[in-house]
PDB file of all heavy atoms in Angstrom:
ATOM      1  N   GLY A  34     -11.844  13.648  11.233  1.00 96.00           N
ATOM      2  CA  GLY A  34     -12.950  13.689  12.258  1.00 96.00           C
ATOM      3  C   GLY A  34     -13.037  15.009  12.873  1.00 96.00           C
ATOM      4  O   GLY A  34     -12.155  15.898  12.713  1.00 96.00           O
ATOM      5  N   PRO A  35     -13.949  15.277  13.780  1.00 97.00           N
ATOM      6  CA  PRO A  35     -14.114  16.450  14.473  1.00 97.00           C
ATOM      7  C   PRO A  35     -12.947  16.736  15.499  1.00 97.00           C
ATOM      8  O   PRO A  35     -12.251  15.808  15.847  1.00 97.00           O
ATOM      9  CB  PRO A  35     -15.484  16.319  15.280  1.00 97.00           C
ATOM     10  CG  PRO A  35     -15.600  14.880  15.487  1.00 97.00           C
ATOM     11  CD  PRO A  35     -14.959  14.224  14.215  1.00 97.00           C
ATOM     12  N   THR A  36     -12.851  17.906  15.943  1.00 96.00           N
ATOM     13  CA  THR A  36     -11.782  18.361  16.880  1.00 96.00           C
ATOM     14  C   THR A  36     -11.999  17.537  18.175  1.00 96.00           C
ATOM     15  O   THR A  36     -13.146  17.294  18.582  1.00 96.00           O
ATOM     16  CB  THR A  36     -11.851  19.800  17.224  1.00 96.00           C
ATOM     17  OG1 THR A  36     -10.794  20.211  17.990  1.00 96.00           O
ATOM     18  CG2 THR A  36     -13.185  20.329  17.877  1.00 96.00           C
ATOM     19  N   ALA A  37     -10.834  17.172  18.879  1.00 96.00           N
ATOM     20  CA  ALA A  37     -10.895  16.405  20.085  1.00 96.00           C
ATOM     21  C   ALA A  37     -11.402  14.922  20.084  1.00 96.00           C
ATOM     22  O   ALA A  37     -11.552  14.471  21.097  1.00 96.00           O
ATOM     23  CB  ALA A  37     -11.669  17.234  21.215  1.00 96.00           C
ATOM     24  N   VAL A  38     -11.413  14.481  18.873  1.00 97.00           N
ATOM     25  CA  VAL A  38     -11.966  13.116  18.819  1.00 97.00           C
ATOM     26  C   VAL A  38     -10.934  12.066  18.980  1.00 97.00           C
ATOM     27  O   VAL A  38     -11.105  10.834  19.222  1.00 97.00           O
ATOM     28  CB  VAL A  38     -12.698  12.832  17.464  1.00 97.00           C
ATOM     29  CG1 VAL A  38     -11.740  12.719  16.309  1.00 97.00           C
ATOM     30  CG2 VAL A  38     -13.755  11.655  17.528  1.00 97.00           C
ATOM     31  N   GLY A  39      -9.525  12.586  18.844  1.00 97.00           N
ATOM     32  CA  GLY A  39      -8.488  11.564  18.981  1.00 97.00           C
ATOM     33  C   GLY A  39      -7.667  11.237  17.823  1.00 97.00           C
ATOM     34  O   GLY A  39      -6.969  10.211  17.804  1.00 97.00           O
ATOM     35  N   LYS A  40      -7.739  12.027  16.776  1.00 97.00           N
ATOM     36  CA  LYS A  40      -7.071  11.785  15.482  1.00 97.00           C
ATOM     37  C   LYS A  40      -5.494  11.682  15.694  1.00 97.00           C
ATOM     38  O   LYS A  40      -4.878  10.766  15.208  1.00 97.00           O
ATOM     39  CB  LYS A  40      -7.360  12.870  14.505  1.00 97.00           C
ATOM     40  CG  LYS A  40      -8.851  13.068  14.264  1.00 97.00           C
ATOM     41  CD  LYS A  40      -9.153  14.137  13.155  1.00 97.00           C
ATOM     42  CE  LYS A  40      -8.781  15.497  13.686  1.00 97.00           C
ATOM     43  NZ  LYS A  40      -9.669  15.973  14.772  1.00 97.00           N
ATOM     44  N   SER A  41      -4.947  12.724  16.379  1.00 96.00           N
ATOM     45  CA  SER A  41      -3.540  12.746  16.480  1.00 96.00           C
ATOM     46  C   SER A  41      -3.023  11.553  17.274  1.00 96.00           C
ATOM     47  O   SER A  41      -1.984  11.021  16.827  1.00 96.00           O
ATOM     48  CB  SER A  41      -3.145  14.019  17.191  1.00 96.00           C
ATOM     49  OG  SER A  41      -3.426  15.213  16.342  1.00 96.00           O
ATOM     50  N   ALA A  42      -3.683  11.277  18.302  1.00 97.00           N
ATOM     51  CA  ALA A  42      -3.215  10.089  19.167  1.00 97.00           C
ATOM     52  C   ALA A  42      -3.266   8.835  18.295  1.00 97.00           C
ATOM     53  O   ALA A  42      -2.255   7.901  18.352  1.00 97.00           O
ATOM     54  CB  ALA A  42      -4.159   9.847  20.326  1.00 97.00           C
ATOM     55  N   LEU A  43      -4.228   8.587  17.463  1.00 98.00           N
ATOM     56  CA  LEU A  43      -4.309   7.313  16.668  1.00 98.00           C
ATOM     57  C   LEU A  43      -3.202   7.465  15.608  1.00 98.00           C
ATOM     58  O   LEU A  43      -2.552   6.381  15.330  1.00 98.00           O
ATOM     59  CB  LEU A  43      -5.690   7.308  15.919  1.00 98.00           C
ATOM     60  CG  LEU A  43      -5.753   6.092  14.940  1.00 98.00           C
ATOM     61  CD1 LEU A  43      -5.627   4.752  15.649  1.00 98.00           C
ATOM     62  CD2 LEU A  43      -7.228   6.176  14.260  1.00 98.00           C
ATOM     63  N   ALA A  44      -3.034   8.530  15.038  1.00 97.00           N
ATOM     64  CA  ALA A  44      -1.931   8.624  13.935  1.00 97.00           C
ATOM     65  C   ALA A  44      -0.606   8.349  14.580  1.00 97.00           C
ATOM     66  O   ALA A  44       0.270   7.633  13.952  1.00 97.00           O
ATOM     67  CB  ALA A  44      -1.809  10.069  13.408  1.00 97.00           C
ATOM     68  N   MET A  45      -0.283   8.855  15.825  1.00 97.00           N
ATOM     69  CA  MET A  45       1.027   8.597  16.421  1.00 97.00           C
ATOM     70  C   MET A  45       1.185   7.076  16.739  1.00 97.00           C
ATOM     71  O   MET A  45       2.298   6.440  16.468  1.00 97.00           O
ATOM     72  CB  MET A  45       1.015   9.315  17.765  1.00 97.00           C
ATOM     73  CG  MET A  45       1.373  10.745  17.682  1.00 97.00           C
ATOM     74  SD  MET A  45       3.038  11.154  16.972  1.00 97.00           S
ATOM     75  CE  MET A  45       3.991  10.406  18.227  1.00 97.00           C
ATOM     76  N   GLU A  46       0.080   6.338  17.082  1.00 97.00           N
ATOM     77  CA  GLU A  46       0.197   4.958  17.381  1.00 97.00           C
ATOM     78  C   GLU A  46       0.351   4.149  16.035  1.00 97.00           C
ATOM     79  O   GLU A  46       1.078   3.108  16.056  1.00 97.00           O
ATOM     80  CB  GLU A  46      -1.106   4.403  18.168  1.00 97.00           C
ATOM     81  CG  GLU A  46      -1.137   5.065  19.440  1.00 97.00           C
ATOM     82  CD  GLU A  46      -0.005   4.620  20.430  1.00 97.00           C
ATOM     83  OE1 GLU A  46       0.424   3.423  20.356  1.00 97.00           O
ATOM     84  OE2 GLU A  46       0.598   5.453  21.056  1.00 97.00           O
ATOM     85  N   LEU A  47      -0.300   4.583  15.020  1.00 97.00           N
ATOM     86  CA  LEU A  47      -0.257   3.871  13.748  1.00 97.00           C
ATOM     87  C   LEU A  47       1.075   4.081  12.982  1.00 97.00           C
ATOM     88  O   LEU A  47       1.639   3.232  12.287  1.00 97.00           O
ATOM     89  CB  LEU A  47      -1.346   4.296  12.816  1.00 97.00           C
ATOM     90  CG  LEU A  47      -2.742   3.863  13.114  1.00 97.00           C
ATOM     91  CD1 LEU A  47      -3.841   4.413  12.140  1.00 97.00           C
ATOM     92  CD2 LEU A  47      -2.819   2.251  12.905  1.00 97.00           C
ATOM     93  N   ALA A  48       1.653   5.242  13.185  1.00 97.00           N
ATOM     94  CA  ALA A  48       2.860   5.676  12.425  1.00 97.00           C
ATOM     95  C   ALA A  48       4.014   4.709  12.495  1.00 97.00           C
ATOM     96  O   ALA A  48       4.647   4.285  11.445  1.00 97.00           O
ATOM     97  CB  ALA A  48       3.408   7.050  12.733  1.00 97.00           C
ATOM     98  N   GLU A  49       4.409   4.165  13.656  1.00 93.00           N
ATOM     99  CA  GLU A  49       5.498   3.273  13.829  1.00 93.00           C
ATOM    100  C   GLU A  49       5.289   1.926  13.288  1.00 93.00           C
ATOM    101  O   GLU A  49       6.141   1.549  12.444  1.00 93.00           O
ATOM    102  CB  GLU A  49       5.897   3.237  15.347  1.00 93.00           C
ATOM    103  CG  GLU A  49       6.379   4.613  15.799  1.00 93.00           C
ATOM    104  CD  GLU A  49       6.613   4.544  17.379  1.00 93.00           C
ATOM    105  OE1 GLU A  49       5.627   4.372  17.999  1.00 93.00           O
ATOM    106  OE2 GLU A  49       7.772   4.864  17.803  1.00 93.00           O
ATOM    107  N   PRO A  50       4.157   1.245  13.498  1.00 95.00           N
ATOM    108  CA  PRO A  50       4.058  -0.134  12.832  1.00 95.00           C
ATOM    109  C   PRO A  50       3.973  -0.087  11.382  1.00 95.00           C
ATOM    110  O   PRO A  50       4.214  -1.055  10.674  1.00 95.00           O
ATOM    111  CB  PRO A  50       2.848  -0.680  13.547  1.00 95.00           C
ATOM    112  CG  PRO A  50       2.130   0.445  14.123  1.00 95.00           C
ATOM    113  CD  PRO A  50       3.094   1.510  14.426  1.00 95.00           C
ATOM    114  N   ILE A  51       3.491   1.081  10.741  1.00 94.00           N
ATOM    115  CA  ILE A  51       3.287   1.143   9.301  1.00 94.00           C
ATOM    116  C   ILE A  51       4.317   2.007   8.607  1.00 94.00           C
ATOM    117  O   ILE A  51       4.201   2.246   7.436  1.00 94.00           O
ATOM    118  CB  ILE A  51       1.808   1.541   8.947  1.00 94.00           C
ATOM    119  CG1 ILE A  51       1.611   3.037   9.335  1.00 94.00           C
ATOM    120  CG2 ILE A  51       0.826   0.692   9.548  1.00 94.00           C
ATOM    121  CD1 ILE A  51       0.204   3.633   8.934  1.00 94.00           C
ATOM    122  N   GLN A  52       5.283   2.369   9.321  1.00 95.00           N
ATOM    123  CA  GLN A  52       6.412   3.246   8.753  1.00 95.00           C
ATOM    124  C   GLN A  52       5.808   4.478   8.170  1.00 95.00           C
ATOM    125  O   GLN A  52       6.058   4.734   7.052  1.00 95.00           O
ATOM    126  CB  GLN A  52       7.200   2.419   7.748  1.00 95.00           C
ATOM    127  CG  GLN A  52       8.082   1.324   8.309  1.00 95.00           C
ATOM    128  CD  GLN A  52       9.101   0.793   7.412  1.00 95.00           C
ATOM    129  OE1 GLN A  52       8.622   0.273   6.350  1.00 95.00           O
ATOM    130  NE2 GLN A  52      10.328   0.886   7.614  1.00 95.00           N
ATOM    131  N   GLY A  53       5.076   5.136   9.027  1.00 97.00           N
ATOM    132  CA  GLY A  53       4.402   6.371   8.493  1.00 97.00           C
ATOM    133  C   GLY A  53       5.020   7.730   8.970  1.00 97.00           C
ATOM    134  O   GLY A  53       5.848   7.695   9.954  1.00 97.00           O
ATOM    135  N   GLU A  54       4.781   8.782   8.181  1.00 98.00           N
ATOM    136  CA  GLU A  54       5.091  10.054   8.603  1.00 98.00           C
ATOM    137  C   GLU A  54       3.956  10.857   8.484  1.00 98.00           C
ATOM    138  O   GLU A  54       3.042  10.738   7.619  1.00 98.00           O
ATOM    139  CB  GLU A  54       6.168  10.613   7.606  1.00 98.00           C
ATOM    140  CG  GLU A  54       7.533   9.921   7.595  1.00 98.00           C
ATOM    141  CD  GLU A  54       8.559  10.589   6.715  1.00 98.00           C
ATOM    142  OE1 GLU A  54       8.573  11.686   6.485  1.00 98.00           O
ATOM    143  OE2 GLU A  54       9.462   9.774   6.243  1.00 98.00           O
ATOM    144  N   ILE A  55       3.743  11.826   9.366  1.00 98.00           N
ATOM    145  CA  ILE A  55       2.488  12.500   9.692  1.00 98.00           C
ATOM    146  C   ILE A  55       2.548  13.876   8.882  1.00 98.00           C
ATOM    147  O   ILE A  55       3.530  14.646   9.045  1.00 98.00           O
ATOM    148  CB  ILE A  55       2.129  12.724  11.114  1.00 98.00           C
ATOM    149  CG1 ILE A  55       1.828  11.347  11.738  1.00 98.00           C
ATOM    150  CG2 ILE A  55       1.000  13.654  11.246  1.00 98.00           C
ATOM    151  CD1 ILE A  55       1.601  11.436  13.208  1.00 98.00           C
ATOM    152  N   VAL A  56       1.524  14.169   8.135  1.00 98.00           N
ATOM    153  CA  VAL A  56       1.344  15.410   7.416  1.00 98.00           C
ATOM    154  C   VAL A  56       0.135  16.153   8.146  1.00 98.00           C
ATOM    155  O   VAL A  56      -0.935  15.696   8.059  1.00 98.00           O
ATOM    156  CB  VAL A  56       1.070  15.348   5.997  1.00 98.00           C
ATOM    157  CG1 VAL A  56       0.819  16.649   5.310  1.00 98.00           C
ATOM    158  CG2 VAL A  56       2.138  14.571   5.252  1.00 98.00           C
ATOM    159  N   SER A  57       0.352  17.342   8.812  1.00 97.00           N
ATOM    160  CA  SER A  57      -0.632  17.900   9.477  1.00 97.00           C
ATOM    161  C   SER A  57      -1.566  18.599   8.599  1.00 97.00           C
ATOM    162  O   SER A  57      -1.220  19.392   7.701  1.00 97.00           O
ATOM    163  CB  SER A  57      -0.053  18.964  10.461  1.00 97.00           C
ATOM    164  OG  SER A  57      -1.064  19.818  11.064  1.00 97.00           O
ATOM    165  N   VAL A  58      -2.878  18.396   8.627  1.00 95.00           N
ATOM    166  CA  VAL A  58      -4.009  18.915   7.894  1.00 95.00           C
ATOM    167  C   VAL A  58      -4.680  20.012   8.813  1.00 95.00           C
ATOM    168  O   VAL A  58      -5.836  19.717   9.190  1.00 95.00           O
ATOM    169  CB  VAL A  58      -4.999  17.938   7.170  1.00 95.00           C
ATOM    170  CG1 VAL A  58      -5.751  18.708   6.238  1.00 95.00           C
ATOM    171  CG2 VAL A  58      -4.115  16.923   6.498  1.00 95.00           C
TER     172      VAL A  58
END
Side-chain angles (χ1 to χ4, degrees):
T36 186
V38 78
K40 301 181 294 295
S41 296
L43 175 61
M45 285 293 300
E46 292 302 313
L47 284 174
E49 291 174 304
I51 66 175
Q52 290 190 300
E54 297 182 29
I55 294 173
V56 180
S57 170
V58 188

